[in-house]
């Protein structure tokens, strides 16, 4: 391990055991030795004896605190076990820095405070044992940790409701003797009452106490005269408020129109507004709002914005979009993207599509079809607008940015390790295969798959965005990958699906190499192919993956499937279902080998 990691580990132990000097205990934990080569007590390393993989310090009477920042600087740490000590304080948020953690055992200590929500980001976690402590607060939603096998949290002071777990996947589950309340989620027959006993507020199966049905609606009695007066009062106050707001809105919009007339067509490159493509109309100013998305059918405003199922913007009107401030985020090949902040504070991403010769009916049908084939890793369209001149698609704005930014941008010290990259590849591969199957008959492929169209949602889960926005069109070469000259004229639709496979292959190459797809004449696909021919395969991998000790064998496996995806002949490329199956098996293999090492 590096000097920094050694230093951090020594600090971790000092915080855990403030009373004792580890040097005196002769456990080997000191800066002048190496944790792997000199076999520090409680530490196990990988086969190459380079990286710390396990720290097991059970039953050693530690009375300090857990310094997660320090211990997680051992980036390959898979197992941390501190069972049966007397460690106190909180379980810090930074425990999620241990991204490769598979086993976290903290049973029988004096931990207190809330469990950090960041636990849900430990996507490799298999066993989490926090029983017999003083943890308080709610159980974070770790249902997203799909491989979790054990959750033991009995004998704490946890409260709130039990979130949904994947009970069918769990081998062990126990939350008995806490202060949990509400009805128990469906455990699908996998656990009995003993996992839930000792929570006075809990009810429902498998506990014997059934949850009481919701109270019946109270009988309607005619309101008394006093009540009538009260309602009248409320109605009057409401009326006054509405009038005040209306006056304010009219006054504001008058001011705004004046301002536009004054400013003429001055624009601000950064704080661009969603304005008309027919600039002559905007210049006429007068009765057109600054934010207007004008169309030939002007006048058909709120009725034209179709809100698809979305709790975030229920009842969103076209006018709401017009009134909100809009910031131009980017102009791509297929249009511009605006970040729109509604008055309610909700932020949306509005894609204004450019030059798409599609009829209104076809556009609507297409968006509704895509909306029907739902997948958790595909960003749903929240609403759309379609006139003869213009198409807008509204998505939720994702503050965590795109996969492109995660791979190539400044990561703010954020580690994007091998396990996470493999997970992203597996999730996106699966989602794309699912969409292809669901939309094959409609001929709707993604059409523009690239890492900037993979967004990271609030839980840092990757989601494919802008599915189906580029129409299959043999004349439009833009949907085809660069240098891809072999076109199946008879089957342009099939080509579009194969173009997605190509796009996915390139994303795999970005994940593996950390390099940009095209940069000053550099073509990633070509470069990788040349590298393989010259037999310097290892050179292609991202240096950070190599130094983290990622399995070369599995990186090569993933590289091979990437190369199949970018085959210059579309027919030779595998289907997304085949690609997804192979990536899943690589991932499984990776997980098994991690568990066996642990
Ligand atoms: N819903 C969203 N939330 C947050 N950022 C987004 C969202 N959709 C797109 N972006 C980001 O905004 C930027 C501009 O998006 P845009 O789709 O215009 O670019 P592009 O994908 O390069 O273009 P095109 O799809 O037209 O080829 C990209 O960096 C993209 O990652």
């Amino acid at each position: 391990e590096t000097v920094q990691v050694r230093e951090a580990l020594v600090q971790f132990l000092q915080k855990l055991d403030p009373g004792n000097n580890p040097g005196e205990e002769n456990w080997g934990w000191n800066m002048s030795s190496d944790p792997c080569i000199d076999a520090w007590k409680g530490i196990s390393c990988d086969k190459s004896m380079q990286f710390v993989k396990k720290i097991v310090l059970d039953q050693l009477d530690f009375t300090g605190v857990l310094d997660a920042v320090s211990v997680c600087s051992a980036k390959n740490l898979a197992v941390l076990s501190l069972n049966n000590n007397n460690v106190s304080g909180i379980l810090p948020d930074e425990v999620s820095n241990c991204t490769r953690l598979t086993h976290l055992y903290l049973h029988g200590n004096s931990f207190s405070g809330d469990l950090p929500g960041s636990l849900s980001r430990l996507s490799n976690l298999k066993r989490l044992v926090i029983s017999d402590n003083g943890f308080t607060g709610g159980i974070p939603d770790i249902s997203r940790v799909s491989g979790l096998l054990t959750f033991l949290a009995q004998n704490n002071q946890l409260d709130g409701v039990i979130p949904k777990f994947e009970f069918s996947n769990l081998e062990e589950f126990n939350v008995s003797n806490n202060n949990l309340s509400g009805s128990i989620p469906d455990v699908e027959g996998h656990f009995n009452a003993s996992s839930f006993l000792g929570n006075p507020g809990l009810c429902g199966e498998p506990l014997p106490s059934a949850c009481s049905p919701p109270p019946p609606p109270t009988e309607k009695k005619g309101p008394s005269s006093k009540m009538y007066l009260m309602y009248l009062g409320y109605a009057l106050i409401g009326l006054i408020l509405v009038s005040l707001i209306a006056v304010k809105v009219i006054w504001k919009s008058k001011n705004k129109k004046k301002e536009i007339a004054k400013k003429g067509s001055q624009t601000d490159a950064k704080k661009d507004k969603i304005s008309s493509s027919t600039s002559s109309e905007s210049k006429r100013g007068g009765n057109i709002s600054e934010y207007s998305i004008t169309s030939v059918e002007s006048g058909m405003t709120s009725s034209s914005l179709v809100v698809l199922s979305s709790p975030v913007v229920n009842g969103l009107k076209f006018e709401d979009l017009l009134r909100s401030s809009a910031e131009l985020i980017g102009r791509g090949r297929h249009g511009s993207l605006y970040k729109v902040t509604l008055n309610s504070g909700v932020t949306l991403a509005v894609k204004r599509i450019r030059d798409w010769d599609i009829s209104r009916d076809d556009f609507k049908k297409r968006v509704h079809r895509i909306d029907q084939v739902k997948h958790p890793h595909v960003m749903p369209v929240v609403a759309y607008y379609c006139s003869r001149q213009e198409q807008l698609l509204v998505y939720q704005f994702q503050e965590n940015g795109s996969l492109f930014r995660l791979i190539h941008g400044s990561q703010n010290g954020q580690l994007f390790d091998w396990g996470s990259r493999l997970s992203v590849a597996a999730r996106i591969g699966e989602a794309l295969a699912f969409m292809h199957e669901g939309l094959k008959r409609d001929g709707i492929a993604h059409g523009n798959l690239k890492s900037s169209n993979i967004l990271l949602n609030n839980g840092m889960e990757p989601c494919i965005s802008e599915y189906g926005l580029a129409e299959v069109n043999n004349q439009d070469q833009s949907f085809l990958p660069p240098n891809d000259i072999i076109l199946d004229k008879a089957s342009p639709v099939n080509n579009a699906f194969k173009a997605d496979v190509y796009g996915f292959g390139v994303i795999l190459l970005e994940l593996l190499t950390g390099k940009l797809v095209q940069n000053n004449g550099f073509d990633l696909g070509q470069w990788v192919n040349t590298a393989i021919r010259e037999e310097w395969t290892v050179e292609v991998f991202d240096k950070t993956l190599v130094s983290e000790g990622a399995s070369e064998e599995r990186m090569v496996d993933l590289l091979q499937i990437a190369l199949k995806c970018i085959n210059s002949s579309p027919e030779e490329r595998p289907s997304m279902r085949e690609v997804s199956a192979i990536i899943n098996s690589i991932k499984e293999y990776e997980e098994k080998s991690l568990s066996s090492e642990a």
Side-chain angles (χ1 to χ4, degrees), residues 437-502:
E437 282 160 1
L439 292 164
K440 190 91 190 176
R441 286 174 63 195
D442 306 86
I444 307 176
H446 185 288
N448 189 23
L449 193 71
K450 52 186 175 178
S451 54
S452 64
N453 279 339
I454 309 291
L455 302 176
L456 302 161
N457 68 14
N458 288 343
M460 289 304 278
E461 291 284 334
C463 289
I464 300 174
S465 180
E466 301 188 2
Y467 191 99
L469 284 202
E471 199 177 20
V472 180
N473 181 356
N474 236 3
Q475 265 81 60
D476 175 15
Q477 298 279 319
S478 62
F479 79 90
L480 286 166
N483 307 323
D484 192 355
I485 23 121
I486 306 169
L487 254 173
D488 178 0
K489 290 256 167 18
S491 177
V493 170
N494 199 31
N495 256 339
F497 287 99
K498 292 296 187 180
D500 278 1
V501 177
Y502 186 102

Coordinates of all heavy atoms in Angstrom, one line a residue, residues 437-502:
E437 N -36.2 -4.6 -27.0 CA -37.2 -5.6 -27.2 C -38.6 -5.1 -27.2 O -39.5 -5.4 -28.0 CB -37.1 -6.6 -26.0 CG -35.9 -7.6 -26.3 CD -35.5 -8.3 -25.0 OE1 -36.0 -8.0 -23.9 OE2 -34.5 -9.1 -25.1
G438 N -38.9 -4.1 -26.3 CA -40.2 -3.5 -26.2 C -40.6 -2.6 -27.4 O -41.7 -2.4 -27.7
L439 N -39.6 -2.1 -28.1 CA -39.9 -1.1 -29.2 C -39.4 -1.6 -30.6 O -39.4 -0.8 -31.5 CB -39.2 0.2 -28.8 CG -39.9 0.9 -27.6 CD1 -39.0 2.0 -27.1 CD2 -41.3 1.5 -28.0
K440 N -39.0 -2.9 -30.6 CA -38.5 -3.4 -31.9 C -39.6 -3.3 -33.0 O -39.3 -2.8 -34.1 CB -38.2 -4.9 -31.7 CG -37.4 -5.5 -32.8 CD -36.0 -5.4 -32.6 CE -35.2 -5.7 -33.8 NZ -33.7 -5.5 -33.6
R441 N -40.8 -3.7 -32.7 CA -41.8 -3.7 -33.7 C -42.2 -2.3 -34.1 O -42.7 -2.0 -35.2 CB -43.1 -4.4 -33.2 CG -42.8 -5.9 -33.2 CD -43.9 -6.7 -32.6 NE -45.2 -6.6 -33.3 CZ -46.3 -6.9 -32.8 NH1 -46.4 -7.4 -31.6 NH2 -47.4 -6.7 -33.5
D442 N -42.0 -1.3 -33.2 CA -42.3 0.1 -33.6 C -41.1 0.7 -34.3 O -41.2 1.9 -34.8 CB -42.6 0.9 -32.3 CG -43.7 0.3 -31.5 OD1 -43.3 -0.6 -30.6 OD2 -44.8 0.6 -31.6
G443 N -40.0 0.0 -34.4 CA -38.8 0.6 -35.0 C -38.2 1.7 -34.3 O -37.6 2.6 -34.9
I444 N -38.4 1.8 -33.0 CA -37.9 3.0 -32.3 C -36.6 2.6 -31.5 O -36.7 1.9 -30.4 CB -38.9 3.6 -31.3 CG1 -40.2 3.9 -32.1 CG2 -38.4 4.8 -30.6 CD1 -41.3 4.4 -31.2
A445 N -35.5 2.9 -32.0 CA -34.2 2.7 -31.3 C -33.9 4.0 -30.5 O -34.6 5.0 -30.7 CB -33.1 2.4 -32.3
H446 N -32.8 4.0 -29.7 CA -32.5 5.3 -29.1 C -32.1 6.3 -30.1 O -32.6 7.4 -30.1 CB -31.3 5.0 -28.1 CG -31.0 6.2 -27.3 ND1 -30.3 7.3 -27.8 CD2 -31.2 6.5 -26.0 CE1 -30.2 8.3 -26.9 NE2 -30.7 7.8 -25.8
G447 N -31.1 5.9 -31.0 CA -30.8 6.8 -32.1 C -29.6 7.7 -31.8 O -29.1 8.3 -32.7
N448 N -29.2 7.9 -30.6 CA -28.2 8.9 -30.3 C -27.5 8.5 -29.0 O -27.3 9.4 -28.1 CB -28.8 10.3 -30.2 CG -27.7 11.4 -30.1 OD1 -26.6 11.2 -30.5 ND2 -28.1 12.5 -29.6
L449 N -27.1 7.2 -28.9 CA -26.6 6.8 -27.6 C -25.2 7.2 -27.4 O -24.3 6.9 -28.2 CB -26.7 5.2 -27.5 CG -26.5 4.7 -26.1 CD1 -27.7 5.0 -25.2 CD2 -26.3 3.2 -26.2
K450 N -24.9 7.9 -26.3 CA -23.5 8.3 -26.0 C -23.5 8.6 -24.5 O -24.5 8.8 -23.8 CB -23.2 9.5 -26.8 CG -24.2 10.7 -26.7 CD -23.7 11.8 -27.7 CE -24.8 12.8 -27.8 NZ -24.5 13.9 -28.6
S451 N -22.3 8.8 -24.0 CA -22.2 8.9 -22.5 C -22.8 10.2 -21.9 O -23.2 10.3 -20.8 CB -20.7 8.8 -22.0 OG -19.9 9.8 -22.7
S452 N -23.0 11.3 -22.8 CA -23.6 12.5 -22.3 C -25.1 12.3 -22.2 O -25.9 13.1 -21.6 CB -23.3 13.7 -23.1 OG -23.8 13.6 -24.4
N453 N -25.6 11.2 -22.8 CA -27.1 10.9 -22.7 C -27.3 9.8 -21.6 O -28.4 9.3 -21.6 CB -27.6 10.4 -24.1 CG -28.0 11.6 -24.9 OD1 -28.2 12.7 -24.4 ND2 -28.0 11.4 -26.2
I454 N -26.3 9.5 -20.9 CA -26.5 8.6 -19.7 C -26.4 9.6 -18.5 O -25.4 10.1 -18.2 CB -25.5 7.5 -19.6 CG1 -25.3 6.8 -20.9 CG2 -25.8 6.6 -18.4 CD1 -26.4 5.9 -21.3
L455 N -27.6 9.7 -17.8 CA -27.5 10.7 -16.7 C -27.5 9.9 -15.3 O -28.0 8.8 -15.3 CB -28.8 11.6 -16.8 CG -28.9 12.4 -18.0 CD1 -30.2 13.2 -18.1 CD2 -27.7 13.3 -18.2
L456 N -27.0 10.6 -14.3 CA -27.0 10.0 -13.0 C -28.1 10.6 -12.1 O -28.1 11.8 -12.0 CB -25.6 10.2 -12.4 CG -24.5 9.6 -13.2 CD1 -23.2 10.2 -12.9 CD2 -24.5 8.1 -13.1
N457 N -29.0 9.8 -11.7 CA -30.1 10.3 -10.9 C -29.7 10.6 -9.5 O -28.5 10.5 -9.1 CB -31.4 9.4 -11.0 CG -31.2 8.1 -10.3 OD1 -30.2 7.9 -9.5 ND2 -32.0 7.1 -10.6
N458 N -30.7 10.9 -8.6 CA -30.4 11.3 -7.2 C -29.6 10.3 -6.5 O -28.8 10.6 -5.6 CB -31.6 11.7 -6.5 CG -32.2 13.0 -7.0 OD1 -31.5 13.8 -7.6 ND2 -33.5 13.2 -6.7
G459 N -29.9 9.0 -6.8 CA -29.2 7.9 -6.1 C -27.9 7.5 -6.9 O -27.4 6.4 -6.6
M460 N -27.5 8.3 -7.8 CA -26.3 8.1 -8.6 C -26.5 6.8 -9.5 O -25.5 6.2 -9.9 CB -25.0 7.9 -7.7 CG -24.5 9.2 -7.1 SD -24.2 10.5 -8.3 CE -22.6 10.1 -8.9
E461 N -27.7 6.5 -9.8 CA -28.0 5.3 -10.6 C -28.0 5.9 -12.1 O -28.6 6.9 -12.4 CB -29.4 4.8 -10.3 CG -29.5 4.0 -9.0 CD -28.8 2.7 -9.0 OE1 -28.7 2.1 -10.1 OE2 -28.4 2.2 -8.0
P462 N -27.4 5.1 -13.0 CA -27.3 5.6 -14.4 C -28.7 5.4 -15.1 O -29.3 4.4 -14.9 CB -26.3 4.7 -15.0 CG -26.3 3.5 -14.2 CD -26.7 3.8 -12.8
C463 N -29.1 6.4 -15.8 CA -30.4 6.3 -16.6 C -30.2 6.8 -18.0 O -29.5 7.9 -18.2 CB -31.4 7.2 -15.9 SG -32.0 6.6 -14.4
I464 N -30.7 6.1 -19.0 CA -30.6 6.5 -20.4 C -31.5 7.6 -20.6 O -32.7 7.5 -20.3 CB -30.9 5.3 -21.3 CG1 -30.0 4.1 -21.0 CG2 -30.9 5.7 -22.7 CD1 -30.3 2.9 -21.8
S465 N -31.1 8.7 -21.2 CA -31.9 9.8 -21.5 C -32.2 10.0 -23.0 O -31.4 9.5 -23.8 CB -31.3 11.1 -20.9 OG -32.2 12.2 -21.1
E466 N -33.2 10.7 -23.3 CA -33.5 11.1 -24.7 C -33.7 9.8 -25.6 O -33.2 9.8 -26.7 CB -32.4 12.0 -25.2 CG -32.4 13.3 -24.4 CD -31.5 14.4 -25.0 OE1 -30.9 14.1 -26.1 OE2 -31.3 15.4 -24.4
Y467 N -34.3 8.8 -25.1 CA -34.5 7.6 -25.9 C -35.5 7.9 -27.0 O -36.5 8.5 -26.8 CB -35.1 6.4 -25.0 CG -35.1 5.1 -25.8 CD1 -34.1 4.2 -25.6 CD2 -36.0 4.9 -26.8 CE1 -34.1 3.0 -26.3 CE2 -36.0 3.7 -27.5 CZ -35.0 2.8 -27.3 OH -35.0 1.6 -28.0
G468 N -35.1 7.6 -28.2 CA -36.0 7.7 -29.4 C -36.1 9.0 -30.0 O -37.0 9.3 -30.8
L469 N -35.2 9.9 -29.6 CA -35.3 11.3 -30.2 C -34.7 11.5 -31.6 O -35.0 12.5 -32.2 CB -34.6 12.3 -29.2 CG -35.3 12.6 -28.0 CD1 -34.8 13.9 -27.4 CD2 -36.8 12.7 -28.2
A470 N -33.9 10.5 -32.0 CA -33.4 10.7 -33.4 C -34.1 9.6 -34.2 O -34.0 8.4 -34.0 CB -31.9 10.4 -33.3
E471 N -34.8 10.1 -35.2 CA -35.6 9.2 -36.0 C -34.7 8.4 -37.0 O -33.7 8.9 -37.4 CB -36.7 10.0 -36.8 CG -37.8 9.1 -37.3 CD -38.8 9.9 -38.0 OE1 -38.5 11.0 -38.5 OE2 -39.9 9.4 -38.1
V472 N -35.2 7.2 -37.2 CA -34.5 6.3 -38.1 C -34.6 6.9 -39.5 O -35.8 7.1 -40.0 CB -35.0 4.9 -38.1 CG1 -34.3 4.0 -39.1 CG2 -35.0 4.4 -36.7
N473 N -33.6 7.2 -40.1 CA -33.7 7.9 -41.4 C -32.4 7.6 -42.2 O -31.3 8.0 -41.9 CB -33.8 9.4 -41.2 CG -33.9 10.1 -42.5 OD1 -33.8 9.5 -43.6 ND2 -34.2 11.4 -42.5
N474 N -32.6 6.8 -43.3 CA -31.4 6.4 -44.0 C -30.6 7.6 -44.6 O -29.4 7.5 -44.8 CB -31.8 5.4 -45.2 CG -31.1 4.1 -45.0 OD1 -30.3 4.0 -44.1 ND2 -31.3 3.2 -46.0
Q475 N -31.3 8.7 -44.9 CA -30.6 9.8 -45.4 C -29.8 10.5 -44.4 O -28.7 11.1 -44.6 CB -31.6 10.9 -46.0 CG -31.8 10.7 -47.5 CD -32.8 9.6 -47.7 OE1 -34.0 9.7 -47.3 NE2 -32.5 8.6 -48.5
D476 N -30.3 10.4 -43.2 CA -29.6 11.1 -42.0 C -28.5 10.2 -41.5 O -28.7 9.2 -40.8 CB -30.6 11.3 -40.9 CG -30.0 11.9 -39.7 OD1 -28.8 12.3 -39.8 OD2 -30.6 11.9 -38.6
Q477 N -27.3 10.5 -42.0 CA -26.2 9.6 -41.6 C -25.7 9.9 -40.1 O -25.0 9.2 -39.6 CB -25.0 10.0 -42.5 CG -25.2 9.7 -44.0 CD -25.1 8.2 -44.3 OE1 -24.1 7.6 -43.9 NE2 -26.0 7.6 -45.1
S478 N -26.3 10.9 -39.6 CA -25.8 11.3 -38.3 C -26.0 10.3 -37.2 O -25.3 10.3 -36.2 CB -26.4 12.7 -37.8 OG -27.8 12.5 -37.7
F479 N -27.1 9.5 -37.4 CA -27.3 8.5 -36.3 C -26.4 7.3 -36.4 O -26.3 6.5 -35.5 CB -28.8 8.0 -36.3 CG -29.1 7.0 -37.4 CD1 -29.0 5.6 -37.1 CD2 -29.5 7.4 -38.7 CE1 -29.3 4.7 -38.1 CE2 -29.8 6.4 -39.6 CZ -29.7 5.1 -39.3
L480 N -25.6 7.3 -37.5 CA -24.7 6.2 -37.6 C -23.4 6.5 -37.0 O -23.0 7.7 -37.0 CB -24.5 5.9 -39.1 CG -25.7 5.1 -39.8 CD1 -25.5 5.2 -41.3 CD2 -25.8 3.7 -39.2
P481 N -22.7 5.5 -36.5 CA -21.4 5.8 -35.9 C -20.4 6.3 -36.9 O -20.6 6.0 -38.1 CB -21.0 4.4 -35.4 CG -22.0 3.5 -35.8 CD -23.1 4.1 -36.5
P482 N -19.4 7.0 -36.5 CA -18.4 7.5 -37.4 C -17.7 6.4 -38.1 O -17.6 5.3 -37.6 CB -17.4 8.3 -36.5 CG -17.7 7.8 -35.1 CD -19.1 7.4 -35.1
N483 N -17.3 6.6 -39.3 CA -16.6 5.6 -40.2 C -17.4 4.4 -40.5 O -16.9 3.4 -40.9 CB -15.3 5.2 -39.5 CG -14.4 6.3 -39.1 OD1 -14.4 7.3 -39.8 ND2 -13.8 6.2 -38.0
D484 N -18.7 4.4 -40.2 CA -19.5 3.2 -40.4 C -20.1 3.3 -41.8 O -21.1 3.9 -42.0 CB -20.6 3.1 -39.4 CG -21.2 1.8 -39.4 OD1 -20.9 1.0 -40.3 OD2 -22.0 1.5 -38.5
I485 N -19.5 2.7 -42.8 CA -19.9 3.0 -44.1 C -20.8 1.8 -44.6 O -21.5 2.0 -45.6 CB -18.7 3.2 -45.1 CG1 -17.5 2.5 -44.5 CG2 -18.5 4.6 -45.4 CD1 -16.9 1.5 -45.3
I486 N -20.8 0.7 -43.9 CA -21.6 -0.4 -44.4 C -23.0 -0.3 -44.0 O -23.3 -0.4 -42.8 CB -21.0 -1.7 -43.9 CG1 -19.5 -1.8 -44.4 CG2 -21.7 -2.9 -44.5 CD1 -18.8 -2.9 -43.7
L487 N -23.9 0.0 -44.9 CA -25.3 0.3 -44.5 C -26.2 -0.8 -45.1 O -26.0 -1.2 -46.3 CB -25.7 1.6 -45.2 CG -25.9 2.8 -44.2 CD1 -26.1 4.0 -45.0 CD2 -27.0 2.5 -43.3
D488 N -27.0 -1.3 -44.3 CA -28.0 -2.3 -44.8 C -29.2 -1.5 -45.4 O -30.1 -1.2 -44.7 CB -28.4 -3.3 -43.7 CG -29.4 -4.3 -44.2 OD1 -29.8 -4.2 -45.4 OD2 -29.9 -5.1 -43.3
K489 N -29.2 -1.3 -46.7 CA -30.2 -0.4 -47.3 C -31.6 -1.0 -47.1 O -32.6 -0.3 -47.0 CB -29.9 -0.3 -48.8 CG -28.7 0.6 -49.1 CD -29.1 1.9 -49.6 CE -28.1 3.0 -49.6 NZ -26.7 2.6 -49.6
A490 N -31.6 -2.4 -47.1 CA -32.9 -3.0 -47.0 C -33.6 -2.9 -45.6 O -34.8 -2.9 -45.5 CB -32.8 -4.5 -47.3
S491 N -32.8 -2.6 -44.7 CA -33.3 -2.6 -43.3 C -32.8 -1.5 -42.5 O -32.0 -1.7 -41.5 CB -33.0 -3.9 -42.6 OG -33.4 -3.9 -41.3
P492 N -33.2 -0.2 -42.8 CA -32.7 0.9 -42.0 C -33.1 0.9 -40.6 O -32.3 1.3 -39.7 CB -33.4 2.1 -42.7 CG -34.5 1.6 -43.5 CD -34.2 0.2 -43.8
V493 N -34.2 0.2 -40.3 CA -34.7 0.2 -38.9 C -33.7 -0.7 -38.1 O -33.2 -0.3 -37.0 CB -36.1 -0.4 -38.8 CG1 -36.5 -0.7 -37.4 CG2 -37.1 0.6 -39.4
N494 N -33.4 -1.8 -38.7 CA -32.5 -2.7 -38.0 C -31.1 -2.0 -37.8 O -30.5 -2.2 -36.7 CB -32.3 -4.0 -38.8 CG -31.7 -5.1 -37.9 OD1 -32.0 -5.1 -36.7 ND2 -30.9 -5.9 -38.5
N495 N -30.8 -1.2 -38.8 CA -29.5 -0.5 -38.6 C -29.5 0.5 -37.4 O -28.5 0.6 -36.8 CB -29.3 0.4 -39.9 CG -28.3 -0.2 -40.8 OD1 -27.5 -1.0 -40.3 ND2 -28.3 0.1 -42.0
A496 N -30.7 1.1 -37.2 CA -30.7 2.0 -36.0 C -30.5 1.2 -34.7 O -29.8 1.8 -33.8 CB -32.1 2.7 -36.0
F497 N -31.1 0.0 -34.6 CA -30.8 -0.7 -33.4 C -29.3 -1.1 -33.3 O -28.7 -1.1 -32.2 CB -31.7 -2.0 -33.4 CG -33.2 -1.6 -33.1 CD1 -34.1 -1.6 -34.1 CD2 -33.6 -1.4 -31.8 CE1 -35.4 -1.2 -33.8 CE2 -34.9 -1.0 -31.5 CZ -35.8 -1.0 -32.6
K498 N -28.8 -1.5 -34.5 CA -27.3 -1.8 -34.5 C -26.5 -0.6 -34.2 O -25.4 -0.7 -33.7 CB -27.0 -2.5 -35.8 CG -27.6 -3.8 -36.0 CD -27.2 -4.9 -35.0 CE -27.7 -6.3 -35.3 NZ -27.3 -7.3 -34.4
A499 N -27.0 0.6 -34.6 CA -26.2 1.8 -34.3 C -26.2 2.0 -32.8 O -25.2 2.5 -32.2 CB -26.8 3.0 -35.0
D500 N -27.3 1.7 -32.1 CA -27.3 1.8 -30.6 C -26.3 0.8 -30.0 O -25.6 1.2 -29.1 CB -28.7 1.3 -30.1 CG -29.7 2.4 -30.1 OD1 -29.4 3.5 -30.6 OD2 -30.8 2.2 -29.7
V501 N -26.2 -0.4 -30.6 CA -25.2 -1.4 -30.1 C -23.8 -0.7 -30.3 O -22.9 -0.8 -29.3 CB -25.3 -2.7 -30.9 CG1 -24.2 -3.7 -30.4 CG2 -26.7 -3.3 -30.7
Y502 N -23.5 -0.1 -31.4 CA -22.3 0.6 -31.6 C -22.0 1.6 -30.5 O -21.0 1.7 -29.9 CB -22.2 1.2 -33.0 CG -20.9 1.8 -33.4 CD1 -20.0 1.1 -34.2 CD2 -20.5 3.0 -32.8 CE1 -18.8 1.7 -34.6 CE2 -19.2 3.5 -33.1 CZ -18.4 2.9 -34.0 OH -17.2 3.4 -34.3

